[in-house]
Amino acid sequence: MHTQHRRQPGRLSRPVGFWLKAVTLFALFVAASAPSPLYVVYQHRWGFSPTVLTTIFAVYALALLVALLIVGGLSDHIGRRPALAAALVVEAASMAVFLTANGVGLLLVARILQGLATGAATGAISAGLMDLQPSPTSRLGSLLNSASPAAGLALGALGTGLLVQYAPAPTTLVFVLLIAVFLLLTAAVYFLPEPVTPRPGAWASLRPRIAVPPQVRRTFLATMPCLVATWAISGLYLSLGPSLAVGILHIGSHLVGALVVTTLYSAGTVASLLARNLAPQRVMAVGCVALAVGTALTLLALVGPSTPLFFLGTALAGVGWGTSFLGSFGSLAALAGPTERAKLFASVYVVSYLAFSVPAVVAGLAVPSLGLRATTMWYGAVVIVLALLAVVGAAVRRRAAGPLVAVAPSEELAVAAE
């Protein structure tokens, strides 16, 4: 890959291009969580089961994973701008399908298109932020790669909740606004600087490459409970969080229901920013403890039920979500060589996105027979056990090895996409 440092005629400057890519990444994840507060509305309108609801959620994660693995590195060969523009066009199309949806089938199509677009764009943007950051040693690209998705998920749920509660036509207005945003961003891509000179190998880059190097396998297996717990709790909140607010806590406000999702990701964003320079194994261990305790408080709140305790538990679980994911990536990154990281973190994302989607679907299947409260109790109990297993594993590894150097997860995402 060849980078060009001089400003190209008719293009934005590198600093402006850098921040435009960060805004684009943020917008993609705003759109990712925007449908969450609407699931309860759609379910009431069309009368589908919790299983269908969680399936609508899960197909997004699976489509994103497929796109990330197959076309995540395509921008290294055809250029950042073409790859990003194509992804944004598909993203705008997915918003249009949401806008015109009149049943479950179109909701599934919309989420699949959205997952494919987000996965394709994430590779180009993550690498592009590293290309255009102020200096090769700057941490700003990694920071924005890490913080923008979580902040976008938080704001997307909150924004939709506000529109559903206070604006007319709540199931259409949010998607009209997002279509406009993505069309504007697609047009703006033309003016972005292009740091990549097209090179051969585009077709070969579409072959997914996943592997765990031999020296990383024990740590990978020990870290897996943390990854599964972290992404499983995220999947629960994005798919069933608003349903918990309505069905168990008896919160009639769609805005307050959306705040369930916003609280989780806001806390996770702040916590990961504060912990980004700390030793990764310790960060992961502390994060898993916070995740276990926060999840336990959330379950206790559902027994009450107690809305204040539910939000307190959600905030603490969010702290655990952000820091445990950060720490697990750092722990693995320190053990893999530069030529091994792409395949390793492709494996990490396979585990993560499967944990993000599959348990939520299983929960949706269980709700009709067990009920929403009991299903959530079992789901949360599994998350707690996995998080505590990860704490034990981290303690064993700390005694067996010295401190590791922290690596931001977003930086590894950029590597994994190449």
Side-chain angles (χ1 to χ4, degrees):
M1 180 173 65
H2 306 286
T3 57
Q4 302 169 357
H5 297 285
R6 291 182 298 178
R7 182 169 178 174
Q8 300 162 2
R11 306 294 182 211
L12 299 170
S13 65
R14 288 173 62 87
V16 174
F18 174 84
W19 286 107
L20 182 58
K21 288 195 174 185
V23 169
T24 303
L25 184 63
F26 175 78
L28 285 165
F29 282 91
V30 166
S33 65
S36 289
L38 293 174
Y39 289 152
V40 176
V41 177
Y42 290 134
Q43 189 176 24
H44 177 74
R45 180 179 296 176
W46 297 322
F48 53 77
S49 68
T51 304
V52 174
L53 187 155
T54 53
T55 302
I56 293 169
F57 158 77
V59 293
Y60 163 82
L62 295 176
L64 191 155
L65 174 61
V66 169
L68 186 63
L69 290 177
I70 295 177
V71 300
L74 186 62
S75 69
D76 288 341
H77 299 273
I78 68 172
R80 307 286 186 234
R81 291 192 301 130
L84 181 55
L88 290 176
V89 168
V90 176
E91 182 75 18
S94 73
M95 296 298 103
V97 176
F98 271 119
L99 180 64
T100 58
N102 56 4
V104 172
L106 286 180
L107 289 182
L108 289 169
V109 171
R111 286 298 272 176
I112 291 171
L113 288 175
Q114 187 180 29
L116 292 173
T118 304
T122 296
I125 295 175
S126 296
L129 285 173
M130 306 305 291
D131 295 334
L132 301 178
Q133 65 181 349
S135 69
T137 58
S138 173
R139 293 183 176 179
L140 188 57
S142 294
L143 177 61
L144 290 175
N145 260 323
S146 178
S148 293
L153 289 169
L155 185 62
L158 178 61
T160 301
L162 285 168
L163 292 176
V164 171
Q165 190 67 33
Y166 300 113
T171 59
T172 59
L173 181 57
V174 61
F175 299 116
V176 170
L177 294 174
L178 288 171
I179 289 171
V181 168
F182 288 118
L183 290 179
L184 288 172
L185 288 172
T186 302
V189 166
Y190 174 80
F191 300 99
L192 284 172
E194 178 56 83
V196 173
T197 300
R199 60 187 175 92
W203 286 109
S205 74
L206 301 180
R207 179 173 55 88
R209 290 163 292 180
I210 59 175
V212 179
Q215 75 276 14
V216 185
R217 287 172 187 168
R218 291 183 63 183
T219 302
F220 183 84
L221 290 174
T223 304
M224 193 177 296
C226 174
L227 290 171
V228 173
T230 300
W231 286 78
I233 200 68
S234 183
L236 175 68
Y237 272 88
L238 276 176
S239 60
L240 294 177
S243 297
L244 290 172
V246 173
I248 297 179
L249 299 176
H250 306 296
I251 298 173
S253 169
H254 292 288
L255 174 59
V256 178
L259 283 173
V260 172
V261 177
T262 301
T263 300
L264 182 80
Y265 288 110
S266 296
T269 301
V270 173
S272 62
L273 292 177
L274 293 176
R276 68 187 183 277
N277 294 324
L278 302 179
Q281 286 187 1
R282 188 174 300 277
V283 169
M284 188 187 77
V286 172
C288 285
V289 170
L291 180 61
V293 175
T295 302
L297 289 177
T298 302
L299 298 183
L300 183 62
L302 294 177
V303 174
S306 170
T307 299
L309 183 60
F310 182 83
F311 276 95
L312 176 62
T314 297
L316 187 55
V319 170
W321 171 79
T323 52
S324 57
F325 184 49
L326 178 74
S328 62
F329 257 87
S331 299
L332 293 169
L335 300 178
T339 60
E340 299 171 321
R341 288 176 182 165
K343 296 178 182 179
L344 169 62
F345 284 99
S347 303
V348 170
Y349 277 102
V350 168
V351 173
S352 299
Y353 280 109
L354 288 176
F356 188 53
S357 55
V358 174
V361 174
V362 173
L365 290 168
V367 168
S369 57
L370 296 180
L372 183 58
R373 191 198 308 266
T375 299
T376 305
M377 291 293 176
W378 280 104
Y379 195 116
V382 172
V383 168
I384 292 170
V385 170
L386 289 172
L388 293 179
L389 283 175
V391 173
V392 173
V396 171
R397 291 199 308 280
R398 275 203 307 273
R399 284 195 290 268
L404 298 177
V405 179
V407 177
S410 53
E411 184 174 346
E412 298 311 324
L413 174 58
V415 174
E418 294 182 357

